[in-house]
Amino acid sequence: MDEAAHLCSDFRPTARQLWKPPVGTLELGIVSCRNLLPVKTKAGRGGADAYCVAKYGRKWVRTRTITDNLGPKWNEQYTWQVFDPCTVLTIGVFDNCHVSQSEGPNDLELKPKPKPDICIGKVRIRLSTLEMNMMYTNAYPLLILMPSGVKRMGEINLAVRFTCESILDVLQSYGQPLLPRMHYLRPIGVAQQEGLRVTAMKIVATRLARAEPPMGQEVVRFLLDTESNTWSMRRSRANWNRAMGSLADLARVARWLEGVRTWRNPLTTGLVHVLLILLVWFPDLIFPSLLLYVCAMATWGYRFRPRGPQGMCPKISQAETIDSDELDEEFDTVPSQRPNELVRVRYDRVRILGARVQGLLGDLASQGERVQGLMSWRDPRATAIFVGVCFLASILLYVVPVKMVAMAWGFYHLRHPMFRDTMPTPILNFFRRLPSLLERIL
């Protein structure tokens, strides 16, 4: 429970009796860092006392601290047992703020309060993106988001390899549920999950603080990304772009179909007409042809596959275009420490964004309610028209073969633009006139 579900590295049950055998082994080589930016001043010049922490499953590892070096070399290797390939390995680089502090007098009460370690950057690697039994040696950028904006702190060189004894065990794990059985029989609520996650993070931080060498709470919070669910205009914009990007393929197909329908390329439209005739007269070929096309497109995309695991991306995170006010809001504490006037402006901005989301959800709900309204008789005339059209269509389909109807509809839909009206179709006009529950909301 200490990790977010989409970044989890361990889906095993709590009871060891329910653990399944491991499917492979993860090997991590923390080689070095280069071109680190100085994060402290020592003897009048900038420097860094860097160390690295890696977390996978319940095992946390930490390298030794390389003092006063902007290009530290660790050359340390660690291994983990892998029980699920769809998990994430997290590596973070930190600056040790304890080695350069003066000891002070012998009186413990006069010793300076230890400073938290400085976070330099982190890298996440999903094991499912790694080809098995292959060594990856790449350099990953260390990016950190500061109140002044995103900053590149340097690079870290890692060597990663995921090995397995049986590929069948790995493939079989893809068809198994992620979480233990009890999580599906008695699911935990979202609010309870957040509370348990905070509690688990505190327990892990307390345990690692007693380790040798110890790890501070700031290290645990940074690697576990505890603040990932707090409000951020930047994350909202990034999630919106992700949602739109996930629909890019559908939009591309829609544009292609619109191009075929408007005869942008007459040769392509002619071939589509021929394909329509073949699929109508041989309907058994529809699904095999569709699946074969999907296989061909996926096989063609294999040559453009990523050659290695990807690091953190400021472009996807919307960290390059964020302004100073949004950054200040993201780094503000809860409750806010800013003046009331500034909090009021930010609250109004959140209300505006919430109104847009509210309107989008309302539009989606209205479309679904209009579909339900076809048979609910909330509009007696509309339902009567729908029933009459369905009755006539059923008689037509009994009399005329389905092949002829499908071919006629296809040719009518693909007719030349000179025979097409620019106004919306009667079917669309009828659907837009159907009632919804929006007018009954207070």
Side-chain angles (χ1 to χ4, degrees):
M1 296 301 301
D2 57 343
E3 297 174 307
H6 60 284
L7 300 174
C8 191
S9 61
D10 190 5
F11 294 105
R12 290 176 294 172
T14 305
R16 290 180 175 269
Q17 295 83 354
L18 301 178
W19 288 6
K20 297 180 180 180
V23 298
T25 303
L26 172 63
E27 300 175 78
L28 172 65
I30 304 177
V31 183
S32 63
C33 281
R34 60 184 180 184
N35 301 327
L36 289 181
L37 296 182
V39 295
K40 63 177 64 172
T41 303
K42 302 175 67 174
R45 58 187 180 87
D49 304 320
Y51 67 92
C52 188
V53 176
K55 196 265 182 189
Y56 182 78
R58 305 183 181 184
K59 180 180 176 181
W60 294 66
V61 297
R62 170 177 170 171
T63 65
R64 65 188 186 278
T65 301
I66 307 296
T67 60
D68 197 16
N69 195 332
L70 298 179
K73 295 182 180 180
W74 293 287
N75 294 320
E76 300 185 13
Q77 184 176 355
Y78 305 94
T79 59
W80 289 269
Q81 286 185 331
V82 177
F83 295 86
D84 195 309
C86 300
T87 45
V88 178
L89 168 68
T90 306
I91 306 103
V93 181
F94 303 88
D95 177 77
N96 197 331
C97 294
H98 301 274
V99 296
S100 59
Q101 290 182 355
S102 59
E103 296 295 335
N106 294 329
D107 191 357
L108 295 178
E109 296 181 356
L110 298 179
K111 285 186 177 181
K113 185 178 180 179
K115 297 180 180 179
D117 292 344
I118 301 175
C119 305
I120 297 179
K122 62 184 172 185
V123 177
R124 298 192 188 102
I125 299 175
R126 182 171 288 273
L127 269 62
S128 59
T129 61
L130 304 176
E131 296 185 12
M132 289 175 290
N133 305 321
M134 181 176 179
M135 178 67 71
Y136 293 89
T137 55
N138 298 324
Y140 302 89
L142 295 173
L143 304 174
I144 192 72
L145 186 63
M146 297 182 176
S148 58
V150 64
K151 195 172 185 179
R152 185 187 179 102
M153 303 296 293
E155 292 182 348
I156 181 172
N157 297 311
L158 301 174
V160 185
R161 181 169 60 183
F162 172 45
T163 59
C164 66
E165 298 180 358
S166 174
I167 190 174
L168 295 179
D169 295 338
V170 177
L171 297 178
Q172 183 183 6
S173 63
Y174 278 84
Q176 298 176 352
L178 281 176
L179 300 176
R181 181 180 179 85
M182 188 60 67
H183 285 267
Y184 299 96
L185 298 179
R186 293 185 177 181
I188 302 176
V190 177
Q192 293 175 322
Q193 291 180 23
E194 291 301 319
L196 287 174
R197 184 183 176 190
V198 173
T199 304
M201 186 274 298
K202 293 180 180 179
I203 294 175
V204 172
T206 303
R207 174 174 61 87
L208 295 178
R210 297 193 297 263
E212 184 60 36
M215 301 183 195
Q217 186 176 3
E218 66 278 1
V219 175
V220 177
R221 296 178 66 91
F222 183 69
L223 284 189
L224 296 181
D225 204 6
T226 310
E227 290 80 14
S228 60
N229 288 334
T230 57
W231 163 253
S232 169
M233 183 69 73
R234 174 185 60 86
R235 286 197 181 97
S236 300
R237 192 184 301 111
N239 290 335
W240 174 263
N241 291 338
R242 289 171 52 213
M244 293 297 100
S246 62
L247 301 177
D249 292 338
L250 295 178
R252 192 178 300 110
V253 173
R255 288 194 299 267
W256 181 79
L257 291 176
E258 185 64 21
V260 171
R261 183 170 177 265
T262 56
W263 291 69
R264 189 177 304 167
N265 189 340
L267 178 60
T268 303
T269 306
L271 292 177
V272 171
H273 281 79
V274 175
L275 180 63
L276 174 64
I277 297 175
L278 292 177
L279 294 181
V280 167
W281 286 101
F282 303 98
D284 296 339
L285 299 178
I286 295 178
F287 288 104
S289 301
L290 181 61
L291 295 177
L292 184 62
Y293 175 77
V294 172
C295 293
M297 293 300 297
T299 305
W300 175 262
Y302 179 78
R303 55 186 296 192
F304 306 106
R305 71 189 187 281
R307 300 297 179 177
Q310 306 295 316
M312 313 298 282
C313 180
K315 183 178 181 180
I316 299 178
S317 307
Q318 293 293 307
E320 296 178 339
T321 59
I322 189 172
D323 55 26
S324 58
D325 182 61
E326 294 178 357
L327 274 174
D328 183 73
E329 180 184 11
E330 184 168 347
F331 281 92
D332 192 10
T333 58
V334 179
S336 177
Q337 303 295 329
R338 300 298 184 265
N340 293 335
E341 294 78 8
L342 184 58
V343 175
R344 186 186 302 274
V345 172
R346 292 174 177 174
Y347 173 67
D348 292 338
R349 184 171 60 191
V350 173
R351 291 179 62 188
I352 294 174
L353 179 62
R356 295 177 182 175
V357 176
Q358 173 182 296
L360 178 60
L361 293 179
D363 292 339
L364 294 177
S366 296
Q367 307 307 321
E369 291 166 354
R370 288 191 177 104
V371 174
Q372 294 177 347
L374 289 172
M375 302 179 62
S376 64
W377 293 93
R378 290 191 63 235
D379 187 342
R381 287 164 295 277
T383 304
I385 293 174
F386 176 72
V387 172
V389 170
C390 289
F391 180 73
L392 294 177
S394 63
I395 296 177
L396 178 65
L397 292 177
Y398 273 117
V399 176
V400 182
V402 179
K403 296 180 180 180
M404 301 300 297
V405 175
M407 185 176 298
W409 178 85
F411 278 98
Y412 174 78
H413 185 72
L414 297 175
R415 67 191 184 279
H416 198 274
M418 63 182 299
F419 303 108
R420 188 182 297 122
D421 190 4
T422 57
M423 298 300 293
T425 61
I427 296 178
L428 186 59
N429 294 331
F430 173 78
F431 183 77
R432 289 174 177 174
R433 292 175 180 273
L434 292 173
S436 66
L437 300 180
L438 184 61
E439 64 272 9
R440 301 181 59 185
I441 295 180
L442 295 176

